[in-house]
Amino acid sequence: MTEFGYFLACEEFTPAQLLDQARRAEEAGFTRLAISDHFHPWNDAQGNSPLVWSVIGALSQTVDLPVTTLVTCPTVRLHPAVTAQAAATSSVMLDGRFSLGVGTGEALNEHVHGDRWPPFADRAAMLEEAVEVMRRLFTGDLVSHRGEHYTVENARLYTVPDTPPPVLVSGFGPSAAGLAGRIGDGYVLMGPDEELVGAFREAGGEGKPVVGGLKVCWDEDRDRAVDTVHRLWPSQLLPGELAQILPTPAHFEQASELVTREQVAEAVACGDDPEEHIEAVRAYVDAGFDEVYIGQIGPGQAPFFENFRTKVLPALSPSRRPATSLTASH
């Protein structure tokens, strides 16, 4: 049965807001949390980008829900040995309720040291080697490694969980789906693409979880919701590889001028019609996803959580009874 979690967007909200959303999500009946990892937001209007590992540490003391990174890049901005230490500590703090979602990254976040931004084939090879290094370090054994892309010398993680965190691999095309099936403990896909889910299964992903996410905007005024999405998240409608190669928020703002309100209205669940939101989430269920994470765009967190608690989540899981009412303090 598909589980439904809440998607915490580090690009849009402060750490305090993210923690508040996590509390609300748990109260509303969401059973998991996902969190993005960015150095920059996609555009200046979003206005935030806290260090994800600090927020995860705070989440471990705030809620009892499992947490998954969707996704972090362990290959350029952070060395895989450092990422492995961060992930291992996160898993310990969350009592094992942590999954490490990884991907090949975006220039937006990874170019900040001035490193060359490699083509996809090189980034995929770097990711495969990074996953190998991290898994060796998760054992708590002494590790030395000299590979094509990374060197690790006499490294040992002393704080490790009893069970290594699952490594979920993100991918948006057939080659990436195949890589995820071959090296991942699960697959991350930000769109209900049944063909890519099938490619992942055929490449070795049979029996492994498929994880996805989407953003919506609950608002009693649908036009206002569309405006909110168009202002804050037009980047999610950019085609092709732009999201991987544009280097700054300013570049995304320029490219996003091509995204129209009409495209947003057609592609993103906006407004207060429960059926529109149910249909958007159900597309992932029908495509074979095991976990679906939903994030609310904009400031309307209270009505989003209340309506998902009472209308949307019960419709997606008929056996589910609505969670108890949300606390007035929120």
Side-chain angles (χ1 to χ4, degrees):
M1 180 178 291
T2 304
E3 286 194 66
F4 302 103
Y6 186 73
F7 203 140
L8 299 166
C10 283
E11 307 94 317
E12 190 183 341
F13 299 103
T14 67
Q17 289 171 326
L18 295 169
L19 296 180
D20 181 61
Q21 290 169 21
R23 295 185 195 97
R24 292 174 184 249
E26 188 169 40
E27 292 176 350
F30 288 95
T31 59
R32 314 182 69 87
L33 296 171
I35 187 166
S36 57
D37 175 16
H38 271 239
F39 190 90
H40 293 132
W42 296 102
N43 55 51
D44 284 350
Q46 293 175 347
N48 283 285
S49 215
L51 181 67
V52 69
W53 305 108
S54 298
V55 179
I56 290 172
L59 288 170
S60 74
Q61 306 303 299
T62 302
V63 294
D64 292 324
L65 300 180
V67 178
T68 300
T69 52
L70 291 187
V71 292
T72 194
C73 178
T75 60
V76 179
R77 174 170 42 109
L78 290 183
H79 190 283
V82 177
T83 306
Q85 185 183 30
T89 300
S90 296
S91 187
V92 168
M93 293 187 74
L94 285 158
D95 293 327
R97 303 185 310 275
F98 176 75
S99 296
L100 179 63
V102 298
T104 58
E106 303 93 11
L108 175 71
N109 302 304
E110 306 306 321
H111 83 286
V112 294
H113 296 306
D115 299 277
R116 165 183 170 269
W117 184 238
F120 172 75
D122 292 349
R123 301 200 315 269
M126 294 167 70
L127 181 62
E128 183 167 2
E129 186 176 335
V131 169
E132 176 192 350
V133 168
M134 292 190 296
R135 284 200 169 117
R136 290 177 62 190
L137 286 164
F138 288 151
T139 65
D141 296 335
L142 187 67
V143 173
S144 291
H145 170 88
R146 293 190 181 275
E148 181 179 356
H149 301 287
Y150 303 106
T151 297
V152 179
E153 187 170 305
N154 302 329
R156 178 184 173 189
L157 297 183
Y158 280 81
T159 300
V160 293
D162 294 335
T163 302
V167 180
L168 314 177
V169 176
S170 174
F172 303 101
S175 296
L179 177 67
R182 185 162 52 82
I183 73 169
D185 298 314
Y187 181 34
V188 178
L189 178 62
M190 293 301 161
D193 192 319
E194 196 168 350
E195 290 187 7
L196 288 179
V197 172
F200 165 71
R201 301 284 189 214
E202 292 175 6
E206 196 64 44
K208 300 176 183 178
V210 176
V211 176
L214 71 158
K215 292 181 175 61
V216 304
C217 188
W218 189 284
D219 193 312
E220 63 181 11
D221 184 326
R222 192 174 196 278
D223 287 338
R224 184 170 59 197
V226 171
D227 287 339
T228 298
V229 178
H230 190 243
R231 177 174 61 87
L232 292 173
W233 286 92
S235 57
Q236 64 182 350
L237 298 181
L238 292 175
E241 295 185 56
L242 285 176
Q244 280 73 54
I245 64 175
L246 296 179
T248 69
H251 287 94
F252 277 93
E253 289 164 5
Q254 294 166 8
S256 295
E257 291 178 7
L258 301 174
V259 178
T260 67
R261 285 187 78 262
E262 291 72 24
Q263 289 173 310
V264 168
E266 183 176 347
V268 181
C270 293
D272 62 353
D273 179 359
E275 287 304 318
E276 183 173 353
H277 293 267
I278 292 166
E279 181 180 349
V281 178
R282 188 169 283 146
Y284 288 78
V285 178
D286 294 343
F289 283 67
D290 300 283
E291 299 170 19
V292 183
Y293 295 88
I294 305 106
Q296 162 72 3
I297 294 172
Q301 301 295 324
F304 167 87
F305 283 116
E306 177 61 20
N307 284 283
F308 265 68
R309 178 185 72 84
T310 58
K311 300 172 183 176
V312 178
L313 293 180
L316 291 165
S317 299
S319 61
R320 177 200 298 261
R321 299 180 62 184
T324 56
S325 60
L326 306 184
T327 58
S329 62
H330 291 167

